[in-house]
Amino acid sequence: MRKLTAGRLITYAVLVVAALAVIFPVYYVIAGSIMSPGQISAYPPDLFPHGVFTGNYEGATSTTAIGRQYLNSILQTSVITLSQLVTSVLAAYAFVFMKMWGRTVLFGLFLATLMVPWESIVLPNYLTITGWELGGQRLTASYAGTMIALVLPFLANAFGVFLLRQSFLQFPTELRDAAVIDGCGHWRFIRRILLPLNKPALMAVGLYVFLAAWNQFFWPLLIGDNANRRTLQIGISQLNDVEAADPGLILAGVTLSILPTLAIVIFGQRFIVRGLTAGAIR
């Protein structure tokens, strides 16, 4: 058993204070969402709810179309996450296992896209997507068209390709050669051998993409032309505009927004750490 020295005690104390500083805002958002308006506005402020007040959630769902926006966020995030996983796996596999001329240069150009600011391509993306037509109507004139517009610019990303490529580089070449000798094709090798042995990296990419897609704000605000076609983050900002005098509604909306991400971070943290360090040692 390690001896508790003064230095170790100071380290633990600093870590505890830092943990409380990180956890407290999340706790107060959740606690404040079930406080009554009088308790929220009390001075000095109450840190613990006196019972459960559900009026904030009822007001939040009735003031704006948060229920529909919640479903929109789930659908948008699911499509983006799945598509980026598929495209990242296929691209990383090609960069590692398929011999082609100029592969390193092509990968460098691919990574260079990460340095292009999103703000510089928002307007071209917007003009391109809104200029397309689907079924004789503008692409964003229907709910399905709006959902396509929400996910289309994010179906692929260079970060996921980079992370999976680093993980695939650790794969034993002997195992790949043995699979080829046994007649294992590309698709079977990916599905049966490569992906099961790289689950941490896959989970890390999936969690990263999920969090980024779930927290998107500007693009859904730009594309969605009414409340029913926007995402949850936009609905929360509408709560701030409509009911600025009632912070309980805003806290309820924020709670609904952070619950999925909070669950993913808590249960998927080990995959994030293992995935991000998968290619660190060669």
Side-chain angles (χ1 to χ4, degrees):
M1 184 175 179
R2 292 184 177 182
K3 183 179 180 180
L4 290 178
T5 61
R8 191 176 297 275
L9 288 175
I10 294 175
T11 301
Y12 287 159
V14 172
L15 292 176
V16 168
V17 172
L20 290 176
V22 172
I23 294 174
F24 179 76
V26 179
Y27 160 76
Y28 191 76
V29 166
I30 298 175
S33 67
I34 57 175
M35 292 182 183
S36 63
Q39 189 178 0
I40 294 177
S41 59
Y43 184 84
D46 289 331
L47 299 181
F48 304 98
H50 303 160
V52 178
F53 178 72
T54 60
N56 294 327
Y57 290 95
E58 296 172 358
T61 54
S62 61
T63 301
T64 60
I66 279 190
R68 185 61 177 267
Q69 292 166 351
Y70 209 102
L71 294 177
N72 293 344
S73 291
I74 293 175
L75 180 59
Q76 174 208 17
T77 304
S78 301
V79 173
I80 291 176
T81 302
L82 181 61
S83 65
Q84 286 203 25
L85 281 175
V86 172
T87 55
S88 297
V89 167
L90 296 180
Y93 178 84
F95 280 124
V96 174
F97 295 103
M98 300 184 71
K99 305 299 182 182
M100 52 186 172
W101 182 84
R103 181 175 59 177
T104 303
V105 176
L106 183 60
F107 180 69
L109 294 175
F110 200 78
L111 284 184
T113 60
L114 290 174
M115 302 180 184
V116 179
W118 165 247
E119 292 78 9
S120 65
I121 59 176
V122 168
L123 183 58
N125 283 339
Y126 178 78
L127 295 177
T128 300
I129 289 178
T130 55
W132 287 350
E133 294 186 357
L134 186 66
Q137 295 179 343
R138 291 293 182 180
L139 186 62
T140 55
S142 64
Y143 177 80
T146 301
M147 187 53 60
I148 293 174
L150 281 173
V151 303
L152 196 58
F154 308 99
L155 296 182
N157 186 270
F159 176 78
V161 178
F162 168 75
L163 189 60
L164 289 179
R165 176 183 178 272
Q166 296 305 110
S167 180
F168 291 171
L169 286 174
Q170 313 306 313
F171 192 84
T173 56
E174 296 81 4
L175 188 57
R176 167 61 178 162
D177 295 338
V180 172
I181 293 174
D182 289 340
C184 187
H186 294 297
W187 293 108
R188 186 179 178 186
F189 174 73
I190 293 174
R191 186 177 69 256
R192 297 289 183 87
I193 301 176
L194 186 62
L195 295 186
L197 295 178
N198 288 273
K199 286 183 179 179
L202 288 172
M203 290 294 296
V205 172
L207 294 175
Y208 171 82
V209 174
F210 181 92
L211 294 174
W214 182 265
N215 292 320
Q216 282 185 8
F217 181 84
F218 184 65
W219 183 251
L221 177 64
L222 192 64
I223 288 297
D225 56 356
N226 62 62
N228 289 327
R229 297 178 188 176
R230 289 175 173 171
T231 57
L232 181 61
Q233 310 302 331
I234 312 302
I236 296 174
S237 67
Q238 291 173 345
L239 287 175
N240 188 32
D241 296 336
V242 176
E243 297 289 346
D246 192 352
L249 301 186
I250 302 175
L251 293 177
V254 173
T255 300
L256 292 175
S257 175
I258 67 174
L259 286 180
T261 57
L262 191 62
I264 284 179
V265 170
I266 292 176
F267 294 105
Q269 183 179 10
R270 62 190 183 96
F271 293 105
I272 297 176
V273 175
R274 290 174 59 186
L276 293 177
T277 58
I281 301 176
R282 294 196 59 187

